Amino acid sequence: MIINKNILKKLKAISHEERLNILKTLIKEPTCVCELNKNSNYSQPNLSKHLKILKDADIIDYKKEGNKVIYFIIDKKIIEVLKILSI
């Protein structure tokens, strides 16, 4: 059986508690890094690492507004997956 590598990458990306917490926040609304950092138990560099993993998996993206970086979900299927998992 051949499994799509993009799907595996997305599943690996959402398999960490902190990344799930980030996604739960972003489901509600696009959020700046400063707010994500306030809600995180991780350091800024560690949070950035988690955001990069989600971005590299094409789950989230960001836009700059002035000096703020706003993250948002681009893969709407991930929202459905998280709802199915009751996350």
Side-chain angles (χ1 to χ4, degrees), residues 35-75:
E35 289 300 316
L36 289 171
N37 198 34
K38 285 180 188 176
N39 298 329
S40 174
N41 295 324
Y42 293 93
S43 66
Q44 174 64 42
N46 201 324
L47 177 63
S48 293
K49 180 183 117 181
H50 289 299
L51 290 167
K52 180 175 179 359
I53 290 168
L54 291 168
K55 183 166 182 347
D56 289 348
D58 295 323
I59 295 173
I60 65 170
D61 204 355
Y62 67 90
K63 62 183 174 183
K64 291 186 178 183
E65 291 183 358
N67 60 352
K68 290 186 177 183
V69 178
I70 310 293
Y71 281 88
F72 54 93
I73 295 175
I74 57 173
D75 185 343

